[in-house]
Amino acid sequence: MNLNLLFALTRNFETKLKTDIFGKKKIKMVDVNKLKESLYIINSISYEMNQLHNELDILRIPVESVVLRELRKWEDMQICKLLDEFREFKKIDPETYGVFVPIIDYINKYPGIRTSRNKQLAHSNREGDKKWKPWWVALKGQAVPNSEYERLAIYELLQQIWKILEFKYNKEIIDAHSEFREDHKKFIEALKNRVHPMNFLENVIPTLTEVQKLLIEKQIGLNIMPSI
C-alpha cells in the first residue's frame, strides 16, 4: 500500500468525521450501557495492539522469527475480534459507524485474515465438520497481508477508528473502564493469591507415571519420565 494513499484515506476519514459527527445532523440516542460495553472491548483490543507494535519497534524481532510469526497469528485474531465488535457497535451507533466504514471495507479486502485465524488458531486445519482442510488450501485464492508493510497499513487504519471513538466518546470510555476495572482487579488478585507449588514436578509426576505405565502396557518403548 502506498503511504500517500494511507494519508489520503486518513484525511478522508477526518473530513467525513467533521461533517457527519460534528455537523448539524441529528444523532439518534444510543443505549449507554451497550455503548460502554462495546467501547470497552474496542478500546481494550486497540490498546493491546498498540502496545504490541510499540514493543515490536523496540525489540526488532527478525521477520523470519517463529516468535514474530506466532505474534502475527495473535494479531490476526485481534483484527477479527475488532471486526466482529464493529458489527455490534453498528447496532448501537450506526451514525458513527458510517464514518469508519471505508476502513472496514479496506480490511475486508483481506478475507484471508479470518480464514487464517480459523484454520490456524480456532480449528487447526479442519473445517467446522472436523474434515481435514489445511490452512494453505483454505487460503487459496484469498488475499492476505503478506508483508510487514501491508500489516502496518491495516494496523494504522484500525488505530484511526480507535482515535475517532476516543475523540467522540472519551468520557464514556473512561466511565466504562472505571466501571469494569473493579471486577477485573478482583479477578486478577484472586489469580495471584492462588497457591502454586514450588516444584511443578510434584504435580505432574503422578500423571506422567500413569502415562508411562500405559506406554509399557501398549509396548511403546518410550520413557517420558523426567531425568531427576
Side-chain angles (χ1 to χ4, degrees), residues 186-218:
K186 287 178 182 177
F187 178 77
I188 297 300
E189 287 302 317
L191 286 179
K192 289 180 180 178
N193 291 332
R194 285 176 54 189
V195 178
H196 298 283
M198 294 299 292
N199 186 347
F200 81 97
L201 287 176
E202 294 177 2
N203 269 6
V204 302
I205 281 181
T207 301
L208 290 175
T209 301
E210 185 178 352
V211 174
Q212 187 66 62
K213 288 179 181 177
L214 292 170
L215 286 170
I216 294 170
E217 288 177 13
K218 303 295 182 182

Short mmCIF file of all heavy atoms in Angstrom, two decimals, residues 186-218:
data_model
loop_
_atom_site.label_atom_id
_atom_site.label_comp_id
_atom_site.label_asym_id
_atom_site.label_seq_id
_atom_site.Cartn_x
_atom_site.Cartn_y
_atom_site.Cartn_z
N LYS A 186 -10.37 -7.56 40.93
CA LYS A 186 -10.66 -8.64 41.88
C LYS A 186 -10.31 -10.00 41.30
O LYS A 186 -9.77 -10.87 42.00
CB LYS A 186 -12.15 -8.60 42.26
CG LYS A 186 -12.53 -7.44 43.17
CD LYS A 186 -14.02 -7.45 43.46
CE LYS A 186 -14.42 -6.27 44.34
NZ LYS A 186 -15.89 -6.23 44.58
N PHE A 187 -10.62 -10.18 40.03
CA PHE A 187 -10.32 -11.46 39.38
C PHE A 187 -8.81 -11.69 39.32
O PHE A 187 -8.32 -12.79 39.62
CB PHE A 187 -10.92 -11.47 37.97
CG PHE A 187 -10.62 -12.72 37.20
CD1 PHE A 187 -11.31 -13.89 37.47
CD2 PHE A 187 -9.65 -12.73 36.21
CE1 PHE A 187 -11.04 -15.06 36.76
CE2 PHE A 187 -9.36 -13.88 35.50
CZ PHE A 187 -10.06 -15.05 35.77
N ILE A 188 -8.07 -10.65 38.93
CA ILE A 188 -6.61 -10.77 38.83
C ILE A 188 -6.00 -11.05 40.19
O ILE A 188 -5.09 -11.89 40.33
CB ILE A 188 -6.00 -9.48 38.23
CG1 ILE A 188 -6.50 -9.28 36.79
CG2 ILE A 188 -4.48 -9.55 38.26
CD1 ILE A 188 -6.16 -10.39 35.83
N GLU A 189 -6.49 -10.37 41.21
CA GLU A 189 -5.97 -10.59 42.56
C GLU A 189 -6.23 -12.01 43.03
O GLU A 189 -5.40 -12.63 43.70
CB GLU A 189 -6.59 -9.59 43.55
CG GLU A 189 -6.07 -8.17 43.41
CD GLU A 189 -4.57 -8.08 43.58
OE1 GLU A 189 -4.04 -8.73 44.51
OE2 GLU A 189 -3.92 -7.37 42.79
N ALA A 190 -7.41 -12.53 42.70
CA ALA A 190 -7.74 -13.91 43.06
C ALA A 190 -6.78 -14.89 42.40
O ALA A 190 -6.36 -15.88 43.02
CB ALA A 190 -9.18 -14.22 42.67
N LEU A 191 -6.42 -14.61 41.16
CA LEU A 191 -5.46 -15.48 40.47
C LEU A 191 -4.10 -15.42 41.14
O LEU A 191 -3.43 -16.44 41.32
CB LEU A 191 -5.32 -15.05 39.00
CG LEU A 191 -6.48 -15.38 38.05
CD1 LEU A 191 -6.17 -14.86 36.65
CD2 LEU A 191 -6.74 -16.88 38.00
N LYS A 192 -3.69 -14.22 41.51
CA LYS A 192 -2.38 -14.06 42.15
C LYS A 192 -2.32 -14.78 43.49
O LYS A 192 -1.26 -15.25 43.92
CB LYS A 192 -2.09 -12.58 42.37
CG LYS A 192 -1.79 -11.81 41.09
CD LYS A 192 -1.51 -10.34 41.40
CE LYS A 192 -1.21 -9.55 40.15
NZ LYS A 192 -0.99 -8.11 40.44
N ASN A 193 -3.44 -14.85 44.17
CA ASN A 193 -3.47 -15.43 45.52
C ASN A 193 -3.61 -16.95 45.53
O ASN A 193 -3.60 -17.56 46.59
CB ASN A 193 -4.63 -14.82 46.32
CG ASN A 193 -4.38 -13.36 46.63
OD1 ASN A 193 -3.24 -12.92 46.74
ND2 ASN A 193 -5.45 -12.57 46.75
N ARG A 194 -3.77 -17.53 44.34
CA ARG A 194 -3.83 -18.99 44.29
C ARG A 194 -2.50 -19.58 44.73
O ARG A 194 -1.43 -19.05 44.45
CB ARG A 194 -4.15 -19.47 42.87
CG ARG A 194 -5.60 -19.27 42.47
CD ARG A 194 -5.82 -19.67 41.03
NE ARG A 194 -5.38 -21.03 40.78
CZ ARG A 194 -5.30 -21.56 39.55
NH1 ARG A 194 -5.62 -20.84 38.50
NH2 ARG A 194 -4.91 -22.81 39.38
N VAL A 195 -2.57 -20.72 45.45
CA VAL A 195 -1.35 -21.37 45.93
C VAL A 195 -0.73 -22.16 44.79
O VAL A 195 -1.36 -23.02 44.18
CB VAL A 195 -1.66 -22.31 47.11
CG1 VAL A 195 -0.38 -23.02 47.55
CG2 VAL A 195 -2.27 -21.53 48.26
N HIS A 196 0.53 -21.84 44.47
CA HIS A 196 1.25 -22.55 43.41
C HIS A 196 2.35 -23.40 44.04
O HIS A 196 3.08 -22.92 44.91
CB HIS A 196 1.88 -21.56 42.43
CG HIS A 196 0.87 -20.70 41.74
ND1 HIS A 196 0.09 -21.15 40.71
CD2 HIS A 196 0.50 -19.41 41.94
CE1 HIS A 196 -0.71 -20.18 40.28
NE2 HIS A 196 -0.48 -19.12 41.03
N PRO A 197 2.47 -24.65 43.60
CA PRO A 197 3.54 -25.49 44.15
C PRO A 197 4.90 -24.94 43.77
O PRO A 197 5.09 -24.44 42.66
CB PRO A 197 3.29 -26.86 43.48
CG PRO A 197 2.52 -26.53 42.24
CD PRO A 197 1.67 -25.33 42.57
N MET A 198 5.84 -25.01 44.69
CA MET A 198 7.19 -24.52 44.42
C MET A 198 7.84 -25.35 43.32
O MET A 198 8.60 -24.85 42.50
CB MET A 198 8.03 -24.58 45.70
CG MET A 198 7.56 -23.62 46.78
SD MET A 198 7.63 -21.89 46.26
CE MET A 198 9.40 -21.66 46.15
N ASN A 199 7.56 -26.64 43.30
CA ASN A 199 8.13 -27.54 42.29
C ASN A 199 6.99 -28.13 41.47
O ASN A 199 6.20 -28.93 41.96
CB ASN A 199 8.92 -28.65 42.99
CG ASN A 199 9.65 -29.53 41.99
OD1 ASN A 199 9.38 -29.48 40.78
ND2 ASN A 199 10.56 -30.35 42.48
N PHE A 200 6.89 -27.73 40.20
CA PHE A 200 5.75 -28.17 39.39
C PHE A 200 5.76 -29.69 39.18
O PHE A 200 4.72 -30.30 38.94
CB PHE A 200 5.77 -27.46 38.03
CG PHE A 200 6.70 -28.06 37.02
CD1 PHE A 200 6.21 -28.95 36.06
CD2 PHE A 200 8.04 -27.75 37.01
CE1 PHE A 200 7.06 -29.50 35.12
CE2 PHE A 200 8.90 -28.31 36.08
CZ PHE A 200 8.41 -29.18 35.13
N LEU A 201 6.95 -30.32 39.29
CA LEU A 201 7.01 -31.77 39.09
C LEU A 201 6.20 -32.53 40.13
O LEU A 201 5.73 -33.63 39.88
CB LEU A 201 8.47 -32.24 39.11
CG LEU A 201 9.31 -31.87 37.88
CD1 LEU A 201 10.75 -32.31 38.07
CD2 LEU A 201 8.73 -32.51 36.63
N GLU A 202 6.05 -31.93 41.30
CA GLU A 202 5.23 -32.59 42.33
C GLU A 202 3.80 -32.79 41.83
O GLU A 202 3.11 -33.72 42.24
CB GLU A 202 5.23 -31.74 43.61
CG GLU A 202 6.59 -31.66 44.29
CD GLU A 202 6.55 -30.76 45.50
OE1 GLU A 202 5.45 -30.24 45.83
OE2 GLU A 202 7.61 -30.56 46.12
N ASN A 203 3.35 -31.91 40.98
CA ASN A 203 2.01 -32.01 40.43
C ASN A 203 1.92 -32.97 39.26
O ASN A 203 0.95 -33.70 39.11
CB ASN A 203 1.52 -30.63 39.98
CG ASN A 203 0.76 -29.90 41.07
OD1 ASN A 203 0.70 -30.37 42.21
ND2 ASN A 203 0.20 -28.76 40.75
N VAL A 204 2.92 -32.94 38.40
CA VAL A 204 2.80 -33.69 37.14
C VAL A 204 3.33 -35.12 37.20
O VAL A 204 2.96 -35.95 36.37
CB VAL A 204 3.51 -32.93 35.99
CG1 VAL A 204 2.95 -31.55 35.83
CG2 VAL A 204 5.02 -32.89 36.18
N ILE A 205 4.19 -35.44 38.16
CA ILE A 205 4.78 -36.78 38.19
C ILE A 205 3.73 -37.89 38.30
O ILE A 205 3.83 -38.90 37.61
CB ILE A 205 5.84 -36.90 39.32
CG1 ILE A 205 7.14 -36.25 38.83
CG2 ILE A 205 6.08 -38.35 39.72
CD1 ILE A 205 8.29 -36.30 39.80
N PRO A 206 2.69 -37.75 39.15
CA PRO A 206 1.67 -38.82 39.19
C PRO A 206 1.01 -39.06 37.82
O PRO A 206 0.77 -40.20 37.43
CB PRO A 206 0.66 -38.30 40.21
CG PRO A 206 1.45 -37.39 41.09
CD PRO A 206 2.44 -36.73 40.19
N THR A 207 0.74 -37.98 37.09
CA THR A 207 0.13 -38.13 35.76
C THR A 207 1.11 -38.77 34.79
O THR A 207 0.74 -39.66 34.01
CB THR A 207 -0.31 -36.74 35.22
OG1 THR A 207 -1.24 -36.17 36.13
CG2 THR A 207 -0.96 -36.87 33.86
N LEU A 208 2.37 -38.32 34.82
CA LEU A 208 3.38 -38.91 33.94
C LEU A 208 3.59 -40.39 34.25
O LEU A 208 3.79 -41.20 33.35
CB LEU A 208 4.71 -38.15 34.09
CG LEU A 208 4.75 -36.73 33.52
CD1 LEU A 208 6.09 -36.08 33.85
CD2 LEU A 208 4.50 -36.73 32.03
N THR A 209 3.56 -40.73 35.53
CA THR A 209 3.73 -42.13 35.93
C THR A 209 2.62 -42.99 35.36
O THR A 209 2.84 -44.11 34.87
CB THR A 209 3.75 -42.24 37.47
OG1 THR A 209 4.82 -41.45 37.99
CG2 THR A 209 3.93 -43.69 37.90
N GLU A 210 1.38 -42.47 35.40
CA GLU A 210 0.23 -43.19 34.86
C GLU A 210 0.38 -43.41 33.35
O GLU A 210 0.14 -44.51 32.83
CB GLU A 210 -1.05 -42.42 35.15
CG GLU A 210 -2.31 -43.15 34.73
CD GLU A 210 -3.57 -42.37 35.08
OE1 GLU A 210 -3.46 -41.35 35.78
OE2 GLU A 210 -4.65 -42.79 34.63
N VAL A 211 0.83 -42.36 32.65
CA VAL A 211 1.02 -42.48 31.20
C VAL A 211 2.16 -43.45 30.89
O VAL A 211 2.07 -44.24 29.95
CB VAL A 211 1.31 -41.09 30.58
CG1 VAL A 211 1.65 -41.22 29.10
CG2 VAL A 211 0.10 -40.17 30.75
N GLN A 212 3.22 -43.41 31.69
CA GLN A 212 4.35 -44.31 31.46
C GLN A 212 3.92 -45.77 31.58
O GLN A 212 4.34 -46.62 30.79
CB GLN A 212 5.47 -44.01 32.46
CG GLN A 212 6.76 -44.79 32.21
CD GLN A 212 7.42 -44.39 30.90
OE1 GLN A 212 7.81 -43.25 30.72
NE2 GLN A 212 7.54 -45.34 29.98
N LYS A 213 3.05 -46.07 32.55
CA LYS A 213 2.54 -47.43 32.70
C LYS A 213 1.75 -47.86 31.46
O LYS A 213 1.86 -49.00 30.99
CB LYS A 213 1.64 -47.53 33.94
CG LYS A 213 2.40 -47.45 35.26
CD LYS A 213 1.44 -47.52 36.43
CE LYS A 213 2.19 -47.42 37.76
NZ LYS A 213 1.25 -47.42 38.91
N LEU A 214 0.94 -46.93 30.93
CA LEU A 214 0.17 -47.24 29.73
C LEU A 214 1.07 -47.46 28.52
O LEU A 214 0.79 -48.32 27.67
CB LEU A 214 -0.83 -46.10 29.45
CG LEU A 214 -1.97 -45.96 30.46
CD1 LEU A 214 -2.74 -44.66 30.22
CD2 LEU A 214 -2.92 -47.15 30.39
N LEU A 215 2.15 -46.70 28.42
CA LEU A 215 3.09 -46.89 27.33
C LEU A 215 3.71 -48.29 27.39
O LEU A 215 3.88 -48.96 26.36
CB LEU A 215 4.21 -45.83 27.41
CG LEU A 215 3.84 -44.41 26.99
CD1 LEU A 215 4.96 -43.44 27.35
CD2 LEU A 215 3.54 -44.34 25.49
N ILE A 216 4.04 -48.72 28.62
CA ILE A 216 4.62 -50.06 28.79
C ILE A 216 3.60 -51.12 28.40
O ILE A 216 3.91 -52.09 27.70
CB ILE A 216 5.10 -50.24 30.24
CG1 ILE A 216 6.27 -49.30 30.53
CG2 ILE A 216 5.50 -51.70 30.50
CD1 ILE A 216 6.67 -49.22 31.99
N GLU A 217 2.34 -50.94 28.84
CA GLU A 217 1.28 -51.90 28.51
C GLU A 217 1.08 -52.02 27.00
O GLU A 217 0.83 -53.10 26.48
CB GLU A 217 -0.03 -51.48 29.17
CG GLU A 217 -0.05 -51.67 30.68
CD GLU A 217 -1.35 -51.17 31.29
OE1 GLU A 217 -2.31 -50.90 30.52
OE2 GLU A 217 -1.40 -51.03 32.53
N LYS A 218 1.17 -50.90 26.30
CA LYS A 218 0.94 -50.89 24.86
C LYS A 218 2.22 -51.22 24.08
O LYS A 218 2.23 -51.17 22.85
CB LYS A 218 0.43 -49.52 24.41
CG LYS A 218 -0.85 -49.06 25.10
CD LYS A 218 -2.03 -49.96 24.76
CE LYS A 218 -3.30 -49.45 25.44
NZ LYS A 218 -4.45 -50.35 25.16
#
